Amino acid sequence: MQANTSTTKKAGSINNAFASHFAKSMFLSVLGLLILSFIGTRMFTHVDLNLYGYMVGTIVFIGGFFYRFIAWGERPPAKIFIKKGIKLLFRKSTPQTTAEHLITYRFIWNRGIYRWTQHILIGFGCILSCFVTFPLVFGWMYFTMDDNGMYNIIFMGIQVMTVSAEGIIAQLSYNALNITAVMVITGVCMVLYRRLKNMQARAEQTFMYDFLPLIMLLLVSVTGLALTFMNMFLHGAGQPFMSLIHQWSVIITLIYLPFGKLAHIPFRPLSVFARNYREHYMEQAPKPCKVCGDYFVSVEQSNDVINVLGTNDIEFAKKEGFHLAELCLPCRRKYRIAQFSGFPTHQVKVKEANQNANG
Amino acid sequence: MNKRLYLELENCIGCRSCLAACTQCGGHDERNRNYVYDVNPLVNTQTMPLMCLHCVNPACARSCPAQAIQIHETGAVLSALVEKCIGCQNCTIACPYGIPKFDTEQNLMYKCDLCIDRSKDGIPPMCASVCPTNTLQWLTDEEIERKQKQFNVKNDKWVTSIHLENETNVRVNLPGILQGITKLY
Ligand code: SF4
Ligand code: SF4
């Protein structure tokens, strides 16, 4: 279904650009990771080879991510938002929009408190886990222990803190992943419950798109917690095996991420771009409707949409001398009624009314 | 048996049952996604419904930067995927019929999905199930063809197919009253 909405017309030229873009992005990221690890591990003297599998998984993930992102970014509408969004990144409202869209998820709150709670639990559970694990995997952060029962936390090769092995910070860092695992498990259970109960969800969901990522997240969290459990209560029995399953599930999740439902995580920042784009161009030049004269969108967006449709060979220019994207929504609907009936409904100066039923 | 939504516009009496029914569909969050308009509001009572026509090459989906509007295998053009929609409102500008609605609070577009939880199993969408005047019907292609034959009197006065902007999965018909002609059935 994904392919349905992408253009196939210019496949040749896309592929050309794609190969070079892809190679370039890939090269730069892997190089960046290598340099960071080189610094972080004090010239590779503190590499934790137990974490080697994750490293490979991450690199495969980066490859998949660029593949998906670049293919997607080549679609005409996406290209416009990326290009203009970057230009408009430094608006005054950007920090607030970013916080609302990417940290507090205000719009999800407005969709429902249940959804917001599950999203916060899973989202922050995953993000915090990544903050803990990635620096460990790439050696950007590691611990050394002095004889006196104190831990040194080394970040990017610099000793940032010395904490008591029994202290609260140490406790928090040992248990960070356990806490996030519980968050993710709670969140995933809430989601699964909704998916099994909600009729619309049941109609639209598919196993690969909606359930697989949830099952993978559950597997990652449960095996992670199991590792702790085995450490604490079974003296490490079964640990090597469990750690393999855990590692495997993390790697599969990472590889799946760019192609399934979780792909919305790296794509979400685009919503900040979209908001900036709308606000900026609306301030610059609002577009009056060609029929009623009300401002309804920016001139820029109206033109961009017309061009994007043009690249898809869709053309809604009318004999009256306007393009349909130049009419506000009510006028565009009334214009349609006019086409149906032969009577110019859109010319009658009566405001649209009675269109919302109370459910 | 594949069925389509079929609109016989002139039957509409403006009762707005379809709007009310739309709010009650499983995933519609109690908000309707269709419209009913007065054709000549200050003069007569003729009304017509308007809803997503489920374009074969949908402008809304083509203009969406986030690939949030998916096309179901039945041809229904679905409402925005909640996790993908980035709230740019391109789709509302692109749709030639002005159908998609946008919720600024939720930063989310929503539109007619032909009650996909019903129609994918061949059950008519809510609007067609409640329409008391057969303006909205759920028919097979053969049934639609039969109707068009019945209406086509070849005297240039019957309009049996209306100019649309593009090819659509919903079929629209206007068999004649507005041309001052009495209906045959
Ligand atoms: S009628 Fe509008 S909303 Fe419906 S499929 Fe066509 S372009 Fe999309
Ligand atoms: S508002 Fe949402 S569904 Fe509509 S074009 Fe933008 S991202 Fe796509």
Side-chain angles (χ1 to χ4, degrees), chain A residues 1 4 72 75 110-111 200 203 209 268 278 301 318 329 332-333 336 340 343 345 352 354-355 357, chain B residues 16 27 32 35-37 39 62 64-65 82-83 88-90 92 95 98 105-106 113 117 165 174:
Chain A
M1 283 213 304
N4 265 344
W72 168 78
R75 297 178 67 248
N110 293 334
R111 291 174 193 176
Q200 180 77 5
Y209 189 77
R268 193 75 227 175
R278 282 184 61 84
Q301 188 167 9
K318 302 280 75 181
L329 297 176
R332 210 180 311 149
R333 293 190 284 261
R336 184 52 40 195
F340 285 160
F343 176 83
T345 309
E352 170 182 286
N354 233 343
Q355 296 300 347
Chain B
R16 289 171 168 77
N32 62 295
Y35 308 84
V36 171
Y37 279 95
V39 173
R62 297 285 173 243
C64 174
V82 289
E83 78 276 6
C88 68
Q89 300 176 42
N90 261 7
T92 64
C95 171
E105 294 289 299
Q106 302 188 0
D113 57 358
D117 55 338
E165 298 302 326
L174 181 72

Side-chain angles (χ1 to χ4, degrees), chain B residues 51-55 58-61 69 77 94-100 111 166:
Chain B
M51 46 262 295
C52 173
L53 300 184
H54 296 276
C55 309
C60 55
I69 304 171
V77 180
C95 171
Y97 313 117
I99 301 299
K111 67 177 277 297
N166 49 11

Side-chain angles (χ1 to χ4, degrees), chain A residues 73-92:
Chain A
E74 286 293 333
R75 297 178 67 248
K79 213 172 183 166
I80 291 173
F81 278 94
I82 296 173
K83 241 172 63 199
K84 298 190 176 165
I86 292 174
K87 262 205 304 211
L88 299 175
L89 199 54
F90 296 103
R91 276 175 64 79
K92 252 211 235 80

